[in-house]
Amino acid sequence: MADNFEHIVAEKVSGFQINPTKQVWDGVEAELDKTKRRRSPLFWWIPLGLLLLLSGIYLMHRNTKEPILSQRKSVQTGPKKAIPIVPIVPFNAAQSTNNDSTNSIPETQQYKHLDQQKLIPKKIDQASKIVANEKLIILGTTDTPAIEQNKMKTTGEEKTSGFPNSSVPIISKTVSDTTTISISSTPTNLTSATSAQKVSTKRKNYWALHLGAGRTNINETPFFNSNAAANSLAYINNQSSLGTPNTISLISANNGFHLQVGLSRHLQLNKRWGLELGLQYRYLQIKQQVGSKKDSTLNISDQVTDNHKSVVVPNYYQAGNNSVLTNSAHWIMLPVLIQFNLNPSAKINWQLYTGANASLNFAGKWLLTDDAYQILYYSKPLSNQFLFNIQAGVRVQFSKQFTLGFGWEKSLTSVSKLSYYKNYWNQYSLQFSKPVQLSKSKHPKN
Amino acid sequence: MYTDLLIKKCLKNERAAQAKLYQLYAPAMLGVCYRYSKNKEDAEDILQEAFIKVFRNIQQFQQNGPFEAWLRRIMVNTAISYLRKHSRYRNELQVEEIGLHPISSENPEINLDIKDLIECIRALPTGYQTVFNLFAIEGFEHQEIAELLQMNINTVRSQYSRARALLITAIKQQEITIQSKSYGG
């Protein structure tokens, strides 16, 4: 009998309808548009990352293919008649052998006397003496072709046009109103023209060991934003959209940390640009407070009810925590970075870098919130997920021995596929790297 | 069939299909939301929130069940969530009653029209209103309601019992009021 009442009521109210105002649909539509906009930054950054990658490949390709002689053309096609680019010969030797002009000397002949290594220190000394005693002014003179060659090299192309690793004596000049000349020498190692070319085409490639540590957190957008997990704390309601109550609440999320170690192959594309390909491991950890706590403001002793029974209000959580959960993840990363040397010749070389990395995340467990529905995800959605990250930073290279850097990295792939409002990794790190020698044939130092 | 077509288009995020689906179901769903709230503005807020969830999660809809039932379930859950979120409902919703009230066997006739009957339900205290809606109209079991509202099952039974008794009283009073008005008029 009792069921009749419920049945009648249910039947009567089932057809009840009210027309909503237009604002309701406007609100729905606006929210759906907002969702689309949230995703759009991803599509801007992916092409940018690809562009950077392709630029790096292009630069590398161009430098590999371009013959060294073609680079010299830029020097040879000056307003003066073409002057062959040769390693600077000892001053006196050049004077004595260049009564006509160096132009007329075949290249092989010019290199020939480079074999006479024993003469070089002596002749350099002589050159120094001449310069010192006679206070020779080089600029504007035409009868000292050998030094002019050096002038061109030092003022214009320097190492890039000639012999970056050359062990040939180099006369460098500091240009000022009163010209001064200094002559320096690096250990001589050339034996022939061919070997000179080999040296000049050799890349300063090396392996480097990387260590790093820094801050890790998870943001709601691929860019700078407040902490997504914290946002969900405005009101904690453990109710999923489809009615399955959760028994755990996220109280707060802390910033975590990461540690990383890895190896990279550094490819020097030219004096300014470098490409870095690496393999790295990263450990990430974030601690989060979880659990439930009764909101004392709702723990009232009386309530407006007919029976005036004592009242407890369970399951309201506003603050506090019962325990701390440690989320940890492990990444295997394949970074590809393009590096730009701001002052490549200096002992302290500042470098800017940018690039991207693909990472495999094999985290065991990770708790994160879904802002949209206040659902907590734990563990499974995160496992075995490929991530795509962009990164950028600045480094300082000290005497080409080791490098210290600061970098920023942001994932373009969401932490979890399930959460509607995507969460993205955001990381800052301090880095240390040092060239290492993996085999005897390789020279770790530049 | 028309609904199925709209759902397929909604799965592709086609805005026109979403709008049509909304127009098709919004009035009935607002009727559901209205039963759980105390005013139309709140009901519209619930409706809006629920439809956003619907469109974002439409891929979760299993085609073998009726779409309207799925839709209604989301409306109900969103309504419960809304009540718990807002303090004007929250304190009334989570009242733990220790005393048990036997369910009355009274089975009155209902001579009210839909609107008046719904107003009687909405005039109940929030906790009673919610439990009555869930049990009598949506067909939830006591245990389900207890889990949904995170209450003790005995509290749910007790609240339902009181809700039922209060509603019958309210219906009778409303009928008398209407009758007196009609006689007076």
Side-chain angles (χ1 to χ4, degrees):
Chain A
M1 289 290 284
D3 282 347
N4 284 341
F5 175 70
E6 283 76 14
H7 183 71
I8 293 164
V9 171
E11 206 165 58
K12 268 193 173 269
V13 301
S14 63
F16 182 63
Q17 295 190 355
I18 310 174
N19 285 321
T21 56
K22 188 180 174 294
Q23 284 77 16
V24 179
W25 171 247
D26 291 344
V28 173
E29 202 172 22
E31 194 65 27
L32 295 173
D33 286 341
K34 195 174 152 190
T35 305
K36 283 184 180 174
R37 282 199 300 274
R38 276 171 181 268
R39 293 173 180 174
S40 60
L42 288 176
F43 301 108
W44 282 104
W45 277 100
I46 288 170
L48 186 64
L50 286 173
L51 185 67
L52 288 171
L53 191 64
L54 291 173
S55 303
I57 292 168
Y58 168 73
L59 284 170
M60 187 169 66
H61 181 73
R62 193 188 66 173
N63 277 274
T64 308
K65 292 288 181 187
E66 195 172 5
I68 192 69
L69 289 175
S70 69
Q71 292 181 19
R72 292 178 182 179
K73 280 180 184 172
S74 60
V75 179
Q76 291 172 346
T77 55
K80 291 182 180 180
K81 207 171 180 181
I83 300 169
I85 300 302
V86 295
I88 189 65
V89 292
F91 184 73
N92 280 357
Q95 260 194 335
S96 62
T97 55
N98 286 321
N99 287 329
D100 336 334
S101 161
T102 49
N103 298 345
S104 59
I105 300 173
E107 210 173 41
T108 49
Q109 286 180 19
Q110 289 181 35
Y111 286 120
K112 191 177 176 183
H113 52 257
L114 289 175
D115 293 337
Q116 304 165 355
Q117 292 184 24
K118 289 178 184 174
L119 296 175
I120 289 170
K122 185 180 172 186
K123 291 177 188 289
I124 289 171
D125 287 346
Q126 289 171 346
S128 302
K129 281 175 187 171
I130 288 169
V131 172
N133 295 336
E134 298 181 11
K135 296 180 183 175
L136 187 62
I137 295 174
I138 303 301
L139 288 175
T141 60
T142 54
D143 55 350
T144 52
I147 295 178
E148 273 201 342
Q149 289 167 24
N150 285 287
K151 180 183 74 180
M152 291 190 67
K153 286 175 70 173
T154 52
T155 54
E157 293 293 315
E158 212 175 339
K159 289 182 181 178
T160 52
S161 64
F163 303 86
N165 235 358
S166 169
S167 51
V168 177
I170 291 173
I171 298 177
S172 63
K173 176 179 71 65
T174 307
V175 178
S176 64
D177 291 341
T178 58
T179 307
T180 59
I181 299 171
S182 64
I183 301 175
S184 63
S185 171
T186 52
T188 306
N189 202 24
L190 292 184
T191 55
S192 69
T194 317
S195 64
Q197 286 193 354
K198 276 183 183 173
V199 170
S200 65
T201 53
K202 185 180 174 183
R203 304 269 174 255
K204 298 174 186 175
N205 302 336
Y206 59 90
W207 289 93
L209 173 71
H210 288 267
L211 300 172
R215 195 186 85 155
T216 293
N217 64 7
I218 295 172
N219 291 156
E220 202 177 274
T221 71
F223 304 100
F224 300 99
N225 201 357
S226 54
N227 190 292
N231 286 345
S232 69
L233 300 176
Y235 179 80
I236 295 168
N237 174 22
N238 293 328
Q239 190 68 45
S240 74
S241 63
L242 300 179
T244 308
N246 294 295
T247 56
I248 190 167
S249 296
L250 187 66
I251 303 298
S252 67
N254 302 325
N255 286 319
F257 70 92
H258 67 264
L259 302 169
Q260 71 183 64
V261 61
L263 268 180
S264 70
R265 179 69 175 160
H266 186 95
L267 306 171
Q268 192 65 41
L269 305 177
N270 57 36
K271 187 177 175 183
R272 293 276 181 191
W273 292 93
L275 186 68
E276 194 176 296
L277 310 168
L279 176 65
Q280 297 190 351
Y281 163 79
R282 179 178 289 175
Y283 171 77
L284 307 97
Q285 190 183 95
I286 287 182
K287 290 199 173 186
Q288 287 178 318
Q289 295 175 313
V290 295
S292 61
K293 189 158 187 176
K294 194 180 291 181
D295 174 13
S296 58
T297 62
L298 294 174
N299 195 8
I300 50 180
S301 59
D302 196 8
Q303 183 77 10
V304 185
T305 58
D306 288 350
N307 51 13
H308 295 286
K309 300 282 183 186
S310 64
V311 174
V312 285
V313 184
N315 304 316
Y316 277 107
Y317 314 118
Q318 281 195 339
N321 67 291
N322 284 349
S323 59
V324 174
L325 181 74
T326 300
N327 293 319
S328 58
H330 308 269
W331 287 9
I332 296 291
M333 306 163 63
L334 294 170
V336 179
L337 305 176
I338 296 172
Q339 175 186 299
F340 181 75
N341 295 308
L342 291 175
N343 39 4
S345 305
K347 280 191 173 180
I348 297 177
N349 175 24
W350 286 85
Q351 302 171 336
L352 300 175
Y353 73 89
T354 186
N357 72 66
S359 304
L360 175 64
N361 178 347
F362 50 100
K365 290 179 177 178
W366 198 286
L367 178 76
L368 75 157
T369 55
D370 186 332
D371 253 3
Y373 308 120
Q374 295 161 349
I375 300 170
L376 303 172
Y377 295 124
Y378 196 47
S379 181
K380 288 179 183 174
L382 202 62
S383 299
N384 300 320
Q385 189 173 5
F386 281 101
L387 301 166
F388 184 72
N389 306 281
I390 53 165
Q391 58 189 112
V394 61
R395 292 171 177 160
V396 197
Q397 191 178 42
F398 294 94
S399 304
K400 300 183 178 176
Q401 294 297 317
F402 67 93
T403 305
L404 294 177
F406 176 76
W408 168 76
E409 186 180 317
K410 189 85 190 178
S411 74
L412 298 182
T413 316
S414 175
V415 175
S416 168
K417 291 175 187 173
L418 288 186
S419 54
Y420 183 76
Y421 290 159
K422 302 299 182 190
N423 297 295
Y424 300 90
W425 299 96
N426 185 47
Q427 310 191 62
Y428 299 93
S429 60
L430 289 171
Q431 302 148 1
F432 170 83
S433 70
K434 184 172 176 58
V436 291
Q437 190 169 356
L438 293 184
S439 65
K440 287 182 181 176
S441 60
K442 306 282 179 182
H443 295 283
K445 276 180 69 175
N446 292 336
Chain B
M1 289 301 287
Y2 180 59
T3 302
D4 291 345
L5 185 66
L6 287 178
I7 292 168
K8 280 179 186 170
K9 288 183 175 179
C10 287
L11 283 166
K12 296 174 188 169
N13 278 325
E14 287 185 23
R15 184 54 47 83
Q18 288 173 336
K20 280 182 184 171
L21 198 70
Y22 171 83
Q23 285 164 10
L24 198 61
Y25 289 102
M29 294 305 123
L30 184 57
V32 174
C33 300
Y34 187 72
R35 274 193 284 113
Y36 286 85
S37 62
K38 294 294 185 195
N39 58 61
K40 196 187 170 193
E41 287 73 31
D42 286 348
E44 289 192 331
D45 282 351
I46 295 167
L47 182 76
Q48 180 175 310
E49 205 175 305
F51 262 102
I52 291 165
K53 289 179 184 177
V54 166
F55 291 128
R56 283 176 180 167
N57 292 281
I58 200 159
Q59 72 280 1
Q60 291 181 22
F61 168 62
Q62 305 294 321
Q63 297 282 350
N64 50 6
F67 180 70
E68 191 172 343
W70 184 74
L71 210 55
R72 183 182 286 260
R73 178 75 195 236
I74 291 177
M75 297 295 150
V76 170
N77 286 322
T78 308
I80 303 295
S81 183
Y82 187 89
L83 300 180
R84 297 178 64 176
K85 196 182 290 186
H86 293 86
S87 57
R88 60 183 178 276
Y89 294 109
R90 186 169 57 193
N91 290 353
E92 287 190 67
L93 185 65
Q94 293 283 346
V95 176
E96 192 89 2
E97 290 190 42
I98 296 169
L100 279 174
H101 300 265
I103 294 175
S104 101
S105 58
E106 197 176 357
N107 187 24
E109 281 186 26
I110 302 171
N111 296 316
L112 297 176
D113 62 14
I114 299 177
K115 177 77 174 135
D116 289 334
L117 178 58
I118 283 176
E119 291 306 330
C120 286
I121 295 169
R122 291 178 65 242
L124 293 171
T126 306
Y128 297 162
Q129 175 191 358
T130 308
V131 170
F132 184 84
N133 272 320
L134 291 170
F135 183 81
I137 301 171
E138 316 302 344
F140 283 53
E141 297 295 327
H142 284 131
Q143 183 60 42
E144 280 181 285
I145 297 168
E147 286 172 7
L148 193 59
L149 300 179
Q150 297 179 354
M151 285 179 178
N152 186 297
I153 190 168
N154 289 329
T155 305
V156 173
R157 287 201 180 100
S158 171
Q159 287 209 0
Y160 178 70
S161 170
R162 291 202 56 76
R164 191 177 192 276
L166 282 174
L167 183 62
I168 289 170
T169 307
I171 288 169
K172 284 177 179 173
Q173 280 180 353
Q174 185 66 15
E175 284 173 347
I176 291 166
T177 308
I178 290 168
Q179 274 178 359
S180 62
K181 274 185 185 174
S182 62
Y183 288 140

